[in-house]
Amino acid sequence: MTGVLPKWLADLTGVDISTSGEGTTWSLKHAWFIPPWLSFVLGAGIVLLVIWCYRREGGTAGRISRTLLSLCRLTSIAILVFMLAQFLLALERTGLPYVAVLVDDSASMRITDAFDSAAMKDKLRELLASAKLADATRLNLAKSVLLQNNADVLNTIDERYKLKLYYVSDAARMQSGELPTLVDDLRKLEPAGENSRLGLAVRTVLSDLRGTPPSAIVLLSDGVTTDGETLGDVARLAKNKGVPLFTIAVGSETPVRDLEVNDLLVDEVVFVDDIVNFEFQLSQSGYAGRDVTVTLKQKGLSASLAQRRITLQPDGNPQKVILPHRPTQVGDFEFIVEVEPLDGELQTDNNRQSRIVGVRKEQVRVLYVQGYPNYEFRYLKHMLQRDSTISLRTVLQEADAEYTAIDQTALSLFPVRREELFEYDVVILGDADPALLSSSALANLSAFVTEKGGGVIFVSGELYNPNAYRDTALAPLMPVDLNSAPRRLTADASPTGYRVRPTELGQSLAPFQLGPTTAESSEIWRKLPPLFGLYDATNLKPAARVLAERDAGDGRNSPVVVMQYVGAGKVIFHAMDDSWRWRFRVGDVFFARYWIQTIRFLARSKLLGKERSAELTVDRREYRQGESVRLRTRFLDERIAPPEDDGVVVIVEQEGQANRKVTLSRQSSNRGVFEGVLTRPAEGRYHAWISAPVLEGGARPVDFRVVAPPGEFERTEVDTADLRRAANETKGKYYTLADAHTLLSDLPSGRQVPIEALPPIVLWNQWPLLALLLGSLVTEWAFRKRVGML
């Protein structure tokens, strides 16, 4: 039997209960050893026995008199039992119940969320103003809940309860001091914790107050746990202790907005005045549908080299972006690709990536073989002959004997010796008669591609190319299947001709970049004069890649330019022979640009150094546990790239663990680039190296590490589910910033907290009790005598 000590009893016992915020509780203690059920049976038996005895006893007393005598006897017995049980009045000094307030000060609380609702924005501005805080970071919003209106919430809690204030991040740290000191310190609090261990924080508070569990725990947080138990995990413990959790979600459920540039890919060495494509992935969260500007710059220069306006795709859909640039100076330059920061973006250091590119001026040795002097041969020969970056030699099979003496580019014969042919970088094979080329010459030309890694351009014609090569050593080089019914280059079905339209793959390659941007290039291709001759190249080999198609507006988009990797080299097939028509009214501008860029595209391997044959890279050097690692192998000399599309194997080592093999696959737009993914590696340090193919020059291995736990910015949206779960399971309540003002009215009153045990008051040997016993016995004796029962 317990309760709050009433004032009359306090006055009677002399206990002081006048201290503010404190009280006294009482309880009865005894030494009675008989079980309650047996005590009840014995008590009932004694009552019945006393009543029965008085009824059976002789005398003239009436029923009322006998009942009064029975009551006197039972009173005496009750007092004796009370004294035998040695009853005491146990007293305890009590204080106000505890309420623990937990404020999350982890690094994620420095985030400034972007709320879409105008009403919510107004509410937050009002909240910050009432707390005299400026920036709307999550921590400042949490502070505002407690500090608004001169810290009214903290003052009220401190009046009704005993306030325990904790800061929680890596651990729960209880703050000490008077309320004014706590308020000042809270205003100065900064979000610096490296981890959020919210479950551990609640467990620590329950442990600190295990003797006197708090009436409630109030948590102001974004709810994201980055290490250890979550709030939901520890909610059962709080429920078992009868402690409700009142959780206030601080922040937004929308992921933090961010832009990221990654996977930048560009050739390591390029020709001067050649188009260089800077290809990269642009990822975003929270900005879907927004337009941003991506820019290419050169380190040390303020002006941009290229710009492009991009409409951002939905979250989780990285988009490929290409920025073309035509370097005009020779040297090694660091180029920077960056995207403009947007409003509300938290991290901007991932908005850029840079690469060093070597720009070289070297001549490309080109051999042009043609059967007869058609318009394509004449215009292309004269254009290449005038270009200072091209060293041109020609073989015209139907030329007069004096031709070689008149034309300084002319050779009398196709190079006979293999070494002579291998001195060239690119061979253009027009409509030449294979019967005038020896079988050894054709075999050497095949080896020129497959072994040396040279480039060949096949230009279809009316007489020989490509059908006449069906049974020669060059047939395997052709991207067109020559075993189908023979076809010839004929006039196009459209009387107005057709225009050439680059495919998506073609637009990403240098040969088709006729303008400074992809959009301008597409417009140039759309306006170029139409062509009229077309070879039906619809029967392509599986490895062929279409770079440009016929566009006549009739829906029949047959291939016009096709590429194929063969062995160590590349082959391009032209299903037309009248590209010279592109000169109409503009001269060599676009005609020359296309051909020069195509030739350089096929000859880029000659620019690469010999000290390294390949490079292995990862997109970052450090990963968070749970992330995947993107591996990329780039063959600096495409000629040594394996012919198989999955021909690169990387071994990933981790100390004390079994090695893992990762197979890399060829990138569709680049023969020398292979990519693969190491899925969710465990925490630790890793060493990766290329095991296949075996490379003479070798490739430097790459090291990276995976760290745990996930960082504070791994997940940035508020975890409302965990906050709700913890509140509901413990019979508490979940709040948003909009309804947190009802917190004070929802907090339970709680139980008084024992402070100290007061000296007990012995009841069984008090003189009033003895007087009462004697009075009861004397009353019974006197009454019995009066009614004649003695």
Side-chain angles (χ1 to χ4, degrees), residues 374 376 429-431 456-462 465-467 478-480 482 487-493 498-500 512 531-540 545-551 557-563 571-579 582 594-595:
N374 61 2
E376 188 82 338
L429 187 61
D431 201 19
V456 170
I457 304 174
F458 290 103
V459 181
S460 59
E462 298 179 2
N465 199 348
N467 295 326
M478 297 276 189
V480 180
L482 300 179
R487 297 177 172 86
R488 304 186 68 82
L489 185 145
T490 58
D492 187 71
Y498 66 92
R499 284 183 168 81
V500 175
F512 296 90
L531 307 182
F532 290 89
L534 183 66
Y535 176 85
D536 185 1
T538 53
N539 289 337
L540 299 177
R545 294 167 166 84
V546 179
L547 304 184
E549 297 176 324
R550 169 186 181 273
D551 183 13
N557 301 328
S558 56
V560 177
V561 182
V562 184
M563 180 181 70
V571 171
I572 288 180
F573 176 80
H574 280 188
M576 43 80 174
D577 71 341
D578 53 348
S579 63
W582 293 337
Y594 169 77
W595 275 101

Side-chain angles (χ1 to χ4, degrees), residues 182-310:
L182 295 179
V183 170
D184 290 342
D185 291 345
L186 180 59
R187 286 189 177 277
K188 299 174 184 176
L189 182 64
E190 295 293 333
E194 295 182 358
N195 298 288
S196 295
R197 299 188 174 103
L198 301 181
L200 176 62
V202 173
R203 184 177 290 276
T204 300
V205 172
L206 293 174
S207 177
D208 288 349
L209 305 176
R210 58 185 175 273
T212 53
S215 295
I217 293 178
V218 178
L219 172 65
L220 298 95
S221 171
D222 55 21
V224 178
T225 300
T226 61
D227 186 24
E229 294 177 297
T230 65
L231 291 172
D233 295 334
V234 80
R236 183 171 294 276
L237 175 62
K239 178 182 178 182
N240 292 339
K241 290 181 174 290
V243 180
L245 298 180
F246 292 80
T247 58
I248 302 176
V250 183
S252 171
E253 293 183 74
T254 304
V256 170
R257 299 178 177 182
D258 187 40
L259 293 173
E260 182 177 4
V261 172
N262 48 47
D263 294 343
L264 175 59
L265 179 64
V266 63
D267 288 322
E268 191 176 80
V269 187
V270 299
F271 289 102
V272 67
D273 292 322
D274 201 3
I275 279 288
V276 182
N277 284 329
F278 292 80
E279 177 184 323
F280 58 94
Q281 296 287 333
L282 180 60
S283 305
Q284 67 83 29
S285 63
Y287 292 113
R290 292 279 297 272
D291 291 334
V292 296
T293 300
V294 290
T295 306
L296 174 67
K297 294 182 178 180
Q298 180 180 321
K299 186 176 182 180
L301 300 179
S302 58
S304 62
L305 305 177
Q307 278 190 344
R308 185 176 171 187
R309 197 71 176 165
I310 301 294

